[in-house]
Amino acid sequence: MDFKAAVLSKVEAPLEIHDVEMTGLKPNDVLVRNHASGLCHTDFEVIHGSLRFPLPIVLGHEASGVVEAVGEAVTLVKPGDHVVCSWNPNCGHCFYCDQDLPILCEPFSRHVPSEIPFDRACLIGCGVMTGVGAVLRVARVQPGTSVVVIGCGAVGLNAIQGARLAGAEPIMAVDIHQEKLLMATAFGATHTSLAGRDDVPSVVQGLTRGRGADHVIEAAGIDNTLQLSLDVSRPGANVILLGKTDVTREVHIRWGSMMAERRIVRSSYGGARPRRDFPLLARLYLDGRLMLDELITRRISLHEINDGFSDMAKGSLVRAVVQMN
């Protein structure tokens, strides 16, 4: 089978649209006809070399579509099923799944209700799961506890609505852009703080009786926000790190800010168990409780993919979604 794909041949180069030939299905393979795919910042990192993968490579991992064919050993899905493709799902019963580390398992696709549009469904496969899951699955935020989310891009906005779904109070959003704080309010933030202008730790202490936040979700990029994440957390708090930087870069923090029994966790996928979580998130959207439409800044064709990444570099979008013809 031949299909068109956006191929990265070298770092810092534009993606090129090529005809690619697919080999036959192996027994455990699932072929999905892709209908929509979100542009994720992880793809951007590969393009610019801060995350290194062998080249050439076909990027894209936040996708939804319909199962076209399955290998002879596949039993969980069948042709015609609507699915969200998880970049790192899990079987639920291997060693790492039993250790509650599903991020280390092997991939499968997951059913979602056919009523959810593909351009909304694809977002569940990465950004939504990472942000909402960081709150519900990793931090396990309880009603009435305080949450600070640092960075209000796609992942941060989803962490904010995860906190809203969990019943957290207060929910404080922190960003360097006022327009992103306005979006954060729409997604569920009860308070906002403009980093670079406000004394963010003092603002957080004022909202938490001087203690600091129960849960801090860092979703901005680590370099300039790791220290702040610790500074706004209370003793014994959960500090969940979602942001990233170049994989070779060293980061520095003040040792004393790690004291007082703070629990610091790096999460790449919000504790995702796709068989459990993807249908749940889809249903929350269909029930009007999870905001997906508002995450989409721009819809583009495959041939416009470089324009989408250019907008990402400018910081002018939350999510661009590639819609397939």
Side-chain angles (χ1 to χ4, degrees), residues 45 62 102 132 152 163 208 289 291:
E45 294 165 10
E62 193 177 74
V132 175
C152 299
T208 58
R289 299 175 61 196
M291 299 169 66

Side-chain angles (χ1 to χ4, degrees), residues 269-292:
Y269 205 10
R273 287 182 178 264
R275 195 183 306 180
R276 170 196 66 187
D277 294 324
F278 286 7
L280 170 64
L281 292 170
R283 182 53 55 191
L284 286 172
Y285 168 76
L286 292 173
D287 290 345
R289 299 175 61 196
L290 184 73
M291 299 169 66
L292 298 181

Side-chain angles (χ1 to χ4, degrees), residues 39-230:
L39 299 190
C40 179
H41 202 275
T42 301
D43 302 319
F44 185 80
E45 294 165 10
V46 178
I47 292 171
H48 293 280
S50 61
L51 183 61
R52 294 153 180 80
F53 279 91
L55 302 176
I57 187 172
V58 177
L59 296 175
H61 57 273
E62 193 177 74
S64 65
V66 178
V67 175
E68 186 86 358
V70 299
E72 60 185 20
V74 173
T75 60
L76 292 176
V77 294
K78 63 185 184 303
D81 285 345
H82 288 224
V83 295
V84 169
C85 299
S86 172
W87 63 268
N88 206 130
N90 65 92
C91 67
H93 54 74
C94 69
F95 173 82
Y96 287 109
C97 288
D98 287 343
Q99 301 300 312
D100 206 20
L101 291 170
I103 187 65
L104 301 179
C105 191
E106 298 178 349
F108 297 94
S109 298
R110 296 299 177 221
H111 289 277
V112 292
S114 59
E115 300 94 326
I116 183 171
F118 291 112
D119 61 341
R120 265 64 45 100
C122 69
L123 304 178
I124 291 173
C126 186
V128 175
M129 184 68 244
T130 301
V132 175
V135 173
L136 300 183
R137 303 302 190 195
V138 181
R140 299 181 181 179
V141 170
Q142 298 298 309
T145 56
S146 57
V147 174
V148 172
V149 177
I150 300 176
C152 299
V155 172
L157 290 174
N158 283 299
I160 289 167
Q161 64 175 337
R164 170 177 53 80
L165 290 168
E169 174 70 30
I171 304 169
M172 183 173 181
V174 180
D175 203 284
I176 60 174
H177 299 293
Q178 187 64 49
E179 61 271 20
K180 290 188 176 180
L181 294 179
L182 292 175
M183 288 193 69
T185 300
F187 275 75
T190 61
H191 300 78
T192 63
S193 185
L194 190 64
R197 183 198 68 181
D198 300 339
D199 182 348
V200 178
S202 294
V203 175
V204 173
Q205 289 177 1
L207 294 172
T208 58
R209 300 181 180 179
R211 290 191 298 266
D214 298 314
H215 308 277
V216 180
I217 312 296
E218 192 288 320
I222 295 295
D223 283 339
N224 300 316
T225 52
L226 177 57
Q227 185 62 62
L228 178 61
S229 300
L230 295 168

